[in-house]
Amino acid sequence: MAEQQFSRTTVTAALIYANGPIHIGHLAGCYVPADIYVRYLRATGHDVAFISGTDEHGVPITIRAQKEGITPQEVVDKYYVQIRDSFAEFGISFDIYSRTSKPAHHRMSQDIFLQIYDKGGFVEETTEQYFDPKAGQFLADRYIVGTCPVCGNENAYGDQCERCGSTLSPTELINPRSALSGETPVLKPTKNWYLPLDALQPRLSTYVESHPEWKTNVAGQVRSWLSEGLKPRAMTRDLDWGIRVPLSDAEGKVLYVWFDAPIGYITFTQEWAEQVGKAWEPYWKSADTKLVHFIGKDNIVFHCLIFPAMLLAEGSYILPDNVPANEFLNLEGDKISTSRNWAVWLHEYLEEFPGRADVLRYALCANAPESKDNDFTWKDFQARNNSELADNLGNFINRALVLTQKNFGGAVPPVGALLDLDRALLAELAAAPARIGERLATYRFRDALAEAMNLSRAGNKYLAETEPWKLAKSQPERVPTILNLSLQLAATLAVVLE
């Protein structure tokens, strides 16, 4: 089947909770690959919108607020600024980096909820849910912790086990306890509005099977959920922090954070389009738009099934064309943990290594967890900087430029007669950008970077074989050609590495 030609691409990078700083796991899992892809699209003349922001609702925000003794709004205000500024300094080239606490986002989320509601797209159901008598409130999924029935992790959340990736409901947890008080919660009846994923499953299955090109880890997870059979999922919660449910009989209820958060991609696109004087609808409603979500593997179910189900229920939006999720990055052999402060925090790295953002970007791409969990170590970081960036790339560029300065006063010398090894280098030079571009277009960023560094190695090999520093005395007529070709290679490296 011929690949569809798209007029524009909407690229989203996961909305991170504004309850703490960015760490290298976030960068390797989502933001560095997304930024590389967007830079590639821009360099090849594509119309692209790169959208992200902070997720400012949900239980993690309120838990952080309790820990710090401040309000949820103070939490999100603090971390939004820190996260936004860290990304900017690190060179992540978002077209917009916004936040879900803005009034426009509240309105958009409520509007989409009502459109689905008016079409009869929700199932109203009264169920028994966990209530903390000591705290006097119903407990959202993330306020309930217990033992995972699948893998035995004693700190699984009520909606997901972060160790094994299983999606859960709170009543499936063994020995549940309240994250608010530590008490054992009790079941009480409450009414909520459910998205009938079971009824939407045939359409979701057709959608998923229409994308055989999805990464193995993504397709495998999604097919596993589909084979188990999807169940209705509540799109409202009994909470006081979040976007109010826009119904008269929904007092004290807010939209489920995983209902409102992905709508943020749409809201932020609207905000960006308004800023630059464009129409936003084509980026979300035109069949010739390619929608790509960059996320970590813990968000696959939400972006491949739940958000598409919402869009199908609403009816006027395109569905994601690809969701190239990465696996997890560990640190020195141990899982990155915010609670244990076991992480490399981006804002601290930028303070400790001023002007060295590219070194970290390089290390995270070269060692990206594209198909399996990978490990970041400082020893590997140091080795990549010294042996690859300095001894390979830096060495070639330095020799090419210093020799040109010494022999030709910094001017590019002309090409003379070509030998076989010159032609071989030119052939490699001509083929490399397309080869690297093909890997970038198919989300194989680690391979693309390896190809670029192979080009630099080819340059070092060429200089070692031709030895222009010796030929300057014995065969001076060869030197201009050798350095011209070396400078051409340096210029190509500048383009592909950018």
Side-chain angles (χ1 to χ4, degrees):
M1 188 173 75
E3 189 178 339
Q4 182 183 349
Q5 295 300 306
F6 294 98
S7 299
R8 69 195 66 74
T9 308
T10 303
V11 177
T12 73
L15 305 192
I16 192 167
Y17 280 127
N19 70 329
I22 292 285
H23 58 62
I24 56 167
H26 300 132
L27 296 173
C30 167
Y31 301 102
V32 168
D35 192 56
I36 292 169
Y37 184 64
V38 166
R39 285 168 182 264
Y40 160 72
L41 291 177
R42 290 184 186 132
T44 49
H46 285 75
D47 178 359
V48 57
F50 187 17
I51 310 297
S52 192
T54 44
D55 180 355
E56 304 195 351
H57 303 122
V59 175
I61 308 295
T62 53
I63 289 175
R64 171 66 71 172
Q66 285 173 332
K67 280 182 182 171
E68 295 192 10
I70 56 179
T71 67
Q73 190 63 51
E74 288 171 314
V75 168
V76 298
D77 288 347
K78 169 185 171 183
Y79 288 110
Y80 167 74
V81 171
Q82 184 190 71
I83 293 167
R84 180 200 63 194
D85 293 352
S86 295
F87 275 142
E89 190 177 343
F90 192 59
I92 304 294
S93 58
F94 298 120
D95 286 306
I96 186 166
Y97 194 76
S98 194
R99 47 197 309 199
T100 61
S101 60
K102 289 189 174 181
H105 174 69
H106 282 236
R107 289 192 298 272
M108 184 65 164
S109 300
Q110 291 172 330
D111 183 51
I112 288 179
F113 181 90
L114 285 173
Q115 287 183 54
I116 297 172
Y117 177 84
D118 290 342
K119 291 178 180 177
F122 292 116
V123 176
E124 214 173 285
E125 201 174 321
T126 297
T127 57
E128 290 202 317
Q129 293 193 13
Y130 280 125
F131 184 85
D132 184 335
K134 189 173 181 181
Q137 70 176 67
F138 281 99
L139 297 173
D141 302 342
R142 291 261 158 165
Y143 271 134
I144 307 161
V145 186
T147 302
C148 173
V150 180
C151 73
N153 170 24
E154 292 183 358
N155 292 304
Y157 293 113
D159 62 346
Q160 188 177 40
C161 173
E162 294 198 337
R163 182 190 289 173
C164 70
S166 298
T167 49
L168 303 168
S169 67
T171 51
E172 291 177 292
L173 290 177
I174 301 160
N175 301 323
R177 61 190 185 278
S178 167
L180 287 176
S181 65
E183 299 285 315
T184 301
V186 298
L187 288 167
K188 277 184 69 172
T190 183
K191 181 171 74 173
N192 277 296
W193 286 262
Y194 288 73
L195 190 63
L197 297 175
D198 50 345
L200 291 162
Q201 177 156 346
R203 294 171 71 190
L204 288 168
S205 296
T206 301
Y207 157 63
V208 169
E209 294 308 321
S210 72
H211 289 287
E213 76 282 5
W214 282 5
K215 288 171 70 171
T216 306
N217 62 331
V218 176
Q221 246 199 67
V222 174
R223 289 196 180 106
S224 171
W225 281 310
L226 289 169
S227 67
E228 288 174 15
L230 301 179
K231 300 180 182 73
R233 197 177 186 104
M235 293 293 120
T236 59
R237 291 290 188 271
D238 293 275
L239 277 174
D240 57 1
W241 176 253
I243 298 173
R244 301 289 171 204
V245 177
L247 298 174
S248 58
D249 56 344
E251 189 64 37
K253 297 182 193 296
V254 299
L255 298 177
Y256 176 36
V257 69
W258 272 108
F259 184 88
D260 99 74
I263 292 171
Y265 300 138
I266 303 170
T267 317
F268 304 161
T269 306
Q270 288 181 325
E271 187 181 345
W272 162 75
E274 197 172 305
Q275 289 171 0
V276 297
K278 285 189 169 188
W280 72 269
E281 286 92 345
Y283 291 89
W284 280 95
K285 297 194 174 188
S286 290
D288 62 346
T289 294
K290 182 176 188 175
L291 174 60
V292 182
H293 295 312
F294 281 87
I295 56 167
K297 70 175 177 182
D298 51 338
N299 288 340
I300 289 173
V301 65
F302 302 109
H303 288 77
C304 294
L305 292 174
I306 293 175
F307 188 40
M310 291 162 50
L311 298 176
L312 285 170
E314 193 278 342
S316 69
Y317 290 88
I318 56 171
L319 300 183
D321 185 78
N322 212 314
V323 186
N326 272 359
E327 300 290 296
F328 289 149
L329 186 72
N330 296 320
L331 173 60
E332 302 284 356
D334 194 4
K335 185 176 178 180
I336 290 174
S337 169
T338 300
S339 59
R340 291 187 289 119
N341 197 29
W342 185 248
V344 177
W345 304 106
L346 178 57
H347 68 290
E348 291 181 354
Y349 173 89
L350 293 168
E351 287 168 13
E352 294 288 330
F353 297 90
R356 296 291 183 272
D358 277 349
V359 181
L360 182 58
R361 286 176 68 106
Y362 178 84
L364 293 177
C365 182
N367 191 34
E370 290 181 350
S371 56
K372 62 180 177 63
D373 289 1
N374 266 0
D375 198 37
F376 177 93
T377 67
W378 285 111
K379 190 174 180 182
D380 178 73
F381 172 83
Q382 185 179 34
R384 289 190 187 281
N385 180 76
N386 295 345
S387 66
E388 296 174 24
L389 288 177
D391 294 350
N392 172 7
L393 177 65
N395 182 53
F396 169 69
I397 299 291
N398 185 60
R399 286 203 289 179
L401 295 180
V402 167
L403 285 166
T404 303
Q405 180 64 33
K406 181 181 176 183
N407 290 284
F408 302 102
V412 178
V415 176
L418 296 175
L419 304 183
D420 284 348
L421 85 167
D422 301 329
R423 293 188 189 93
L425 185 72
L426 283 171
E428 172 66 14
L429 205 51
R435 194 165 62 237
I436 293 166
E438 186 272 331
R439 284 155 176 76
L440 292 171
T442 52
Y443 316 106
R444 291 177 291 153
F445 306 112
R446 206 170 57 192
D447 288 353
L449 185 57
E451 287 286 348
M453 295 304 283
N454 284 340
L455 197 57
S456 179
R457 288 186 187 92
N460 278 312
K461 182 170 177 281
Y462 177 71
L463 286 177
E465 288 174 349
T466 54
E467 298 183 309
W469 48 89
K470 288 185 179 177
L471 295 181
K473 291 180 180 175
S474 61
Q475 277 183 272
E477 72 279 1
R478 273 286 293 151
V479 178
T481 298
I482 293 167
L483 292 182
N484 179 290
L485 267 58
S486 297
L487 292 173
Q488 284 192 52
L489 199 153
T492 300
L493 277 170
V495 172
V496 296
L497 288 172
E498 171 65 22

